[in-house]
């Protein structure tokens, strides 16, 4: 009887741990089921897109004629993780845009699920925070599944090679979303620096930490 009680207790603890490890990182909205998508892997060629910017203009990667590559970041307005990274995203653009690797931010969320991520709210957020990069809306939610983005923020570093945009890094911006002063591993910076120097990217994939993409029901 004693052994049975021990086994039952261990089973209950195990269920609790499973629930904790699979919970949504988004503290503001409930978890939304996302259909599994393969998305891009390292070495794949990323397809171009044409999405609306907060200034009303349509933007494609092909518009950036002198770019050597891109820092494509799926992000949004409402997510606390995305908010924590906003200043660092701005700094990435300021640091690397003139070196040929501009930031391209894309909001993948359905505003019917998360109203804070609506287009007008994007315009206001970009103006308020002084975004120096395009902030595009993934209308119809067609682009983020191609990339395989599941979180906000979720980063894809691309490099132009023979007319194609080759995926060189996928994952998080760095290893500490809470405090930029406590960051010890700068994943995106290290990847872009390596590409600029003509060296291979050492850390090509990390786990993106953030809120789930809010998919149309």
């Amino acid at each position: 009887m004693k052994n049975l009680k021990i086994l039952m207790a261990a089973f209950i603890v195990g269920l609790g741990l499973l629930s904790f490890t699979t919970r949504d990182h988004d503290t503001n909205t409930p978890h939304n089921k996302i259909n599994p998508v393969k998305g891009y892997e390292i070495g794949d060629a990323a397809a171009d897109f044409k999405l609306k910017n907060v200034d009303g203009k349509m933007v494609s990667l092909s518009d950036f004629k002198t770019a050597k590559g891109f820092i494509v970041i799926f992000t949004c307005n409402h997510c606390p993780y995305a908010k924590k990274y906003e200043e660092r995203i701005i700094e990435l653009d300021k640091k690397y845009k003139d070196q040929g690797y501009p930031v391209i931010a894309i909001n993948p969320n359905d505003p019917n699920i998360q109203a804070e991520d609506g287009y007008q709210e994007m315009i206001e957020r970009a103006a308020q925070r002084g975004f120096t990069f395009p902030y595009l809306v993934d209308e119809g939610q067609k682009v983020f599944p191609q990339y395989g983005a599941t979180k906000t923020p979720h980063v894809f570093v691309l490099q132009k090679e023979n007319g194609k945009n080759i995926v060189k890094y996928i994952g998080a911006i760095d290893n500490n979303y809470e405090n930029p002063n406590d960051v010890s591993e700068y994943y995106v910076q290290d990847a872009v620096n390596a590409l600029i120097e003509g060296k291979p990217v050492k850390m090509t994939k990390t786990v993106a930490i953030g809120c789930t993409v809010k998919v149309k029901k």
Side-chain angles (χ1 to χ4, degrees):
M1 188 70 179
K2 184 177 179 181
N3 288 339
L4 180 60
K5 288 182 178 180
I6 292 173
L7 287 172
M8 288 297 294
F11 178 71
I12 292 170
V13 170
L15 284 176
L17 287 173
L18 179 62
S19 175
F20 175 79
T21 55
T22 58
R23 67 186 176 90
D24 190 359
H25 282 291
D26 193 341
T27 57
N28 293 339
T29 56
H31 179 76
N32 291 287
K33 185 178 179 182
I34 298 177
N35 293 326
V37 289
K38 180 179 180 296
Y40 294 132
E41 296 292 344
I42 301 302
D44 286 349
D48 201 352
F49 47 74
K50 182 175 285 188
L51 299 176
K52 187 165 66 173
N53 191 16
V54 288
D55 62 3
K57 298 178 181 178
M58 302 302 290
V59 173
S60 298
L61 298 180
S62 58
D63 296 335
F64 298 79
K65 304 300 184 184
T66 62
K68 300 175 183 177
F70 303 93
I71 304 171
V72 177
I73 304 178
F74 291 88
T75 187
C76 66
N77 289 353
H78 89 278
C79 175
Y81 294 83
K83 290 178 180 178
K84 287 278 189 179
Y85 272 115
E86 277 180 339
E87 190 60 39
R88 278 173 272 184
I89 292 172
I90 293 169
E91 289 303 314
L92 282 171
D93 187 59
K94 288 181 178 179
K95 182 173 183 177
Y96 293 112
K97 179 163 54 181
D98 291 342
Q99 299 185 67
Y101 289 84
V103 165
I104 308 293
I106 302 173
N107 176 7
N109 288 341
D110 183 347
N112 292 318
I113 295 175
Q114 180 48 257
E116 288 181 59
D117 291 330
Y119 182 64
Q120 185 59 42
E121 287 73 19
M122 289 174 60
I123 294 172
E124 294 170 2
R125 188 73 183 177
Q128 177 189 16
R129 298 294 290 136
F131 286 176
T132 57
F133 44 82
Y135 188 23
L136 313 177
V137 56
D138 187 4
E139 290 181 310
Q141 298 188 305
K142 296 177 181 178
V143 174
F144 89 82
Q146 288 183 319
Y147 277 73
T150 59
K151 302 289 184 181
T152 53
H154 204 154
V155 185
F156 296 76
V157 175
L158 313 179
Q159 184 180 39
K160 285 187 178 181
E161 295 180 2
N162 300 318
K164 296 181 179 180
N165 295 305
I166 306 301
V167 180
K168 295 293 184 177
Y169 169 80
I170 302 172
I173 292 172
D174 55 43
N175 69 340
N176 195 311
Y177 81 91
E178 292 185 292
N179 189 345
N181 295 322
D182 291 335
V183 172
S184 59
E185 294 184 84
Y186 297 85
Y187 306 129
V188 171
Q189 287 193 49
D190 289 347
V192 178
N193 286 338
L195 295 175
I196 290 172
E197 295 169 7
K199 299 177 181 178
V201 177
K202 292 181 179 180
M203 182 77 75
T204 58
K205 290 190 77 172
T206 60
V207 177
I209 302 297
C211 304
T212 55
V213 173
K214 301 300 173 277
V215 183
K216 184 177 181 179
K217 294 180 180 179

